Amino acid sequence: MLDRDLSELYGVETRVLKQAVKRNVSRFPSDFMFRLSQEEQESLRSQFVTLKRGQHSKYLSFAFTEQGVAMLSSVLNSERAVQVNIQIMRAFTKLRQMLATHDDLRRKIEEMEQKYDQKFQVVSMPSALAGS
């Protein structure tokens, strides 16, 4: 989940969420959170033809994994953050349960992930080579 989406759910400005994360950066290893690359950010922007005012941030977005979302409740110390976090964790749990009971759906999602992972590797290779 992206920082701007989470900040909306938690009822805080994106900059406030990012500041809380930066003050507690040791709680967010790379498997909990990562910053989008410039290319990823641009690709994301190009998918939305019309953005609301203020949605074009000059800073790169943070993307949070399930564990990172769980950790956010400890750094955003509000009752709303705790309640939102509980709902997000329940959604993740329900998704895993659905995948476990629907093996064909799980396989299709895994196939899609592999397909798109390969496409992302092809897209990211030129930028990795440019840095060499």
Side-chain angles (χ1 to χ4, degrees):
M1 296 185 78
L2 295 178
D3 53 14
R4 68 171 177 243
D5 299 322
L6 288 165
S7 65
E8 188 175 324
L9 287 171
Y10 290 131
V12 298
E13 293 179 42
T14 304
R15 69 175 181 81
V16 171
L17 183 139
K18 285 183 170 186
Q19 286 171 349
V21 169
K22 287 177 185 177
R23 282 194 303 269
N24 296 279
V25 74
S26 64
R27 293 177 182 243
F28 295 93
S30 62
D31 57 329
F32 281 31
M33 176 204 75
F34 58 92
R35 190 179 298 269
L36 296 181
S37 70
Q38 187 65 44
E39 294 84 18
E40 291 166 330
Q41 187 89 16
E42 291 301 320
S43 174
L44 204 55
R45 281 187 191 154
S46 69
Q47 293 179 21
F48 299 98
V49 177
T50 311
L51 289 175
K52 296 176 189 168
R53 187 173 183 258
Q55 283 191 329
H56 279 296
S57 174
K58 60 183 175 181
Y59 303 106
L60 297 175
S61 296
F62 288 138
F64 294 85
T65 65
E66 180 180 354
Q67 294 84 3
V69 171
M71 187 59 74
L72 273 174
S73 68
S74 69
V75 299
L76 294 174
N77 204 8
S78 71
E79 184 57 33
R80 180 173 175 153
V82 171
Q83 293 306 313
V84 166
N85 199 291
I86 289 169
Q87 295 305 315
I88 291 171
M89 292 300 105
R90 285 181 175 154
F92 279 124
T93 301
K94 189 164 247 359
L95 180 61
R96 276 195 302 280
Q97 288 171 344
M98 283 176 34
L99 291 175
T101 58
H102 296 89
D103 198 45
D104 56 333
L105 177 60
R106 180 190 54 79
R107 268 189 311 238
K108 286 180 184 179
I109 290 174
E110 286 174 352
E111 288 170 8
M112 285 175 44
E113 285 177 341
Q114 289 177 352
K115 175 183 171 184
Y116 289 109
D117 282 350
Q118 290 171 351
K119 286 185 178 184
F120 286 132
Q121 287 175 355
V122 170
V123 170
S124 65
M125 287 174 82
S127 62
L129 294 175
S132 303

